[in-house]
Amino acid sequence: MISNYNHLKAGLSAPICLTWELTYACNLSCTHCLSSSGRRDPRELNTTEAKAVIDQFVKMDVFYINIGGGEPTIRSDFKELVSYALSRGVGVKFSTNGSRIDQEMAQWISKESYLDVQVSLDGANASTNDEIRGQGSFQTSIAALEVLQRAEANSVKVSTVVTKKSISQLDDLYALCKHYNAQLRLTRLRPSGRGALSWTQLKLDQCEQEYLFRWLSSHNDVLTGDSFFHLSPLGDPLNGLNMCGAGRVVCLIDPVGDVYACPFVIHDSFKAGNLRDTSLMEIWKHSKIFEDLRKEIDPKSCSTCEAVNSCHGGCMATKFFNGFSFDDPDPECVFDRGSTVLSRVFTSVTPDLSRSRPIYIRPNKPSKNFIAKS
């Protein structure tokens, strides 16, 4: 793992995982939404501009992108943009709450090569999921999984943010995915956006983190990306990147074309440029924030810990939103090294709200189900 880290830390010639938030418009108002989505930004890239961005992906040999939001299928040109990317040889995975996965879209997904769909579920039952994602959202996601199964789509994933509410339901979520011929993908809760308001209530405690590590270690087919490398000191490294990829192998493009080094930190401190002004290649190769992140960041407060070469100091985003410096330990350090810093920097019961996108909250209405009857 160390040799892999040494190879990747200086950055690659192009991101291997690029997240593109097509819109901040969303028909839900999830309590943990890191971008505080709900309202469309009127400045978002239009269809022509978005296709020009895809052309830049091709020029850089970006072979795979994650499309999200907000709810990306709300854009009227969603299928047009995805089809354009696929026609240019760029693979796509898009994340959705499932509300617009009808039979026609499910058939389209099943027939396209290099197109994956990731349906969000934050609990194995309506009670758990809907408390986080809104009334009716569980039923909507299940309906989407059912219509995708009928269409024989074989590239379906279920995305779950692991919280105190869902940690006891991992076995049930895993079984649910198997039932719908889907693959489970777990991600870490970050204290950003509306997630800043719910983080202290939803984050895992030490025992729950240890349980999660054991569970993931025994379920090698569950995807995690780079979500849980802070757990690596507990044993053998988990599957996944097992390092912070920000500015090294991953980045994010927001709806207005701003490029950020970390997919979880939509903040000026991590903004590297805008695609309306500068090419993605120029930003990726020469942006100061990217250059800085590709340098070794020594977590000084972890220097005496023998596990520092396993976790590399933990998640930069989780540190940032909690008001930590980058050389502090991860707030959820498995050896509890972050608790002392938390007590020092916390001035309220929530992380630093000023570092998130403006918190947008509206009453969650029942999720409209667009699934056509078979």
Side-chain angles (χ1 to χ4, degrees):
M1 187 185 75
I2 293 177
S3 60
N4 184 57
Y5 173 76
N6 289 334
H7 174 69
L8 296 175
K9 69 180 181 181
L12 302 178
S13 60
I16 58 174
C17 182
L18 187 152
T19 298
W20 188 7
E21 311 287 32
L22 279 184
T23 184
Y24 287 136
C26 191
N27 55 328
L28 297 183
S29 187
C30 301
T31 61
H32 58 19
C33 179
L34 64 87
S35 63
S36 193
S37 289
R39 291 175 173 168
R40 172 184 172 270
D41 190 316
R43 303 169 298 155
E44 70 183 27
L45 301 174
N46 61 34
T47 304
T48 300
E49 290 174 317
K51 286 183 176 180
V53 170
I54 294 170
D55 291 338
Q56 292 190 47
F57 298 157
V58 176
K59 187 174 182 179
M60 286 185 68
D61 292 325
V62 174
F63 59 88
Y64 167 72
I65 59 174
N66 290 300
I67 288 180
E71 173 53 44
T73 61
I74 284 178
R75 278 191 60 142
S76 60
D77 58 359
F78 169 74
K79 287 177 67 175
E80 180 181 353
L81 293 177
V82 172
S83 296
Y84 184 74
L86 296 173
S87 72
R88 306 249 25 219
V90 179
V92 174
K93 177 176 70 181
F94 73 93
S95 297
T96 177
N97 58 39
S99 60
R100 293 173 183 259
I101 304 294
D102 57 15
Q103 292 183 19
E104 180 183 357
M105 184 174 285
Q107 290 291 342
W108 169 65
I109 292 168
S110 68
K111 291 177 181 178
E112 289 284 358
S113 299
Y114 309 111
L115 174 60
D116 291 2
V117 57
Q118 184 168 276
V119 180
S120 296
L121 266 178
D122 285 308
N125 54 50
S127 175
T128 303
N129 177 85
D130 291 6
E131 183 178 349
I132 292 175
R133 304 189 61 80
Q135 182 183 355
S137 57
F138 181 81
Q139 180 183 359
T140 297
S141 293
I142 293 298
L145 292 171
E146 289 174 345
V147 77
L148 287 164
Q149 186 179 49
R150 289 197 299 270
E152 299 183 347
N154 58 9
S155 56
V156 180
K157 296 172 176 62
V158 169
S159 177
T160 299
V161 179
V162 183
T163 67
K164 188 174 288 292
K165 303 290 186 181
S166 61
I167 185 67
S168 64
Q169 299 180 355
L170 296 183
D171 287 335
D172 291 338
L173 282 162
Y174 185 79
L176 183 151
C177 289
K178 291 296 183 183
H179 177 76
Y180 289 110
N181 192 31
Q183 187 174 18
L184 181 61
R185 182 177 188 271
L186 301 182
T187 60
R188 184 180 178 184
L189 175 71
R190 265 84 173 191
S192 170
R194 287 192 293 272
L197 299 175
S198 60
W199 189 73
T200 53
Q201 292 79 38
L202 295 179
K203 70 183 181 73
L204 304 183
D205 61 29
Q206 292 295 109
C207 290
E208 289 164 338
Q209 289 202 101
E210 292 173 10
Y211 171 78
L212 174 61
F213 178 81
R214 293 193 301 271
W215 193 91
L216 286 171
S217 297
S218 63
H219 293 78
N220 291 326
D221 57 335
V222 173
L223 303 174
T224 61
D226 63 350
S227 286
F228 302 109
F229 64 93
H230 72 294
L231 301 179
S232 293
L234 293 173
D236 293 333
L238 298 169
N239 289 339
L241 188 58
N242 268 305
M243 60 172 281
C244 174
R248 295 162 168 171
V249 297
V250 301
C251 67
L252 175 138
I253 300 171
D254 80 352
V256 302
D258 286 333
V259 180
Y260 295 88
C262 176
F264 304 106
V265 185
I266 305 168
H267 187 273
D268 284 348
S269 298
F270 290 83
K271 186 164 71 174
N274 184 278
L275 297 181
R276 284 176 165 136
D277 305 319
T278 313
S279 72
L280 180 61
M281 183 176 293
E282 179 70 18
I283 291 171
W284 180 261
K285 288 186 175 180
H286 302 297
S287 165
K288 184 179 186 306
I289 181 63
F290 281 17
E291 291 178 344
D292 289 346
L293 289 170
R294 290 162 189 166
K295 299 173 184 176
E296 188 73 35
I297 300 176
D298 179 25
K300 296 181 177 61
S301 58
C302 301
S303 60
T304 59
C305 178
E306 62 183 16
V308 68
N309 288 327
S310 297
C311 72
H312 308 293
C315 174
M316 181 178 64
T318 307
K319 294 181 188 183
F320 177 76
F321 289 115
N322 276 299
F324 285 34
S325 66
F326 295 152
D327 59 7
D328 282 328
D330 191 295
E332 295 182 282
C333 167
V334 295
F335 301 133
D336 204 27
R337 290 177 177 266
S339 59
T340 302
V341 186
L342 279 174
S343 64
R344 185 184 77 227
V345 301
F346 263 27
T347 57
S348 67
V349 295
T350 60
D352 188 349
L353 299 180
S354 68
R355 299 190 174 199
S356 297
R357 285 193 71 242
I359 305 296
Y360 171 67
I361 299 176
R362 66 180 178 197
N364 261 330
K365 297 179 180 179
S367 176
K368 184 177 180 182
N369 192 336
F370 288 84
I371 306 301
K373 299 296 183 182
S374 58

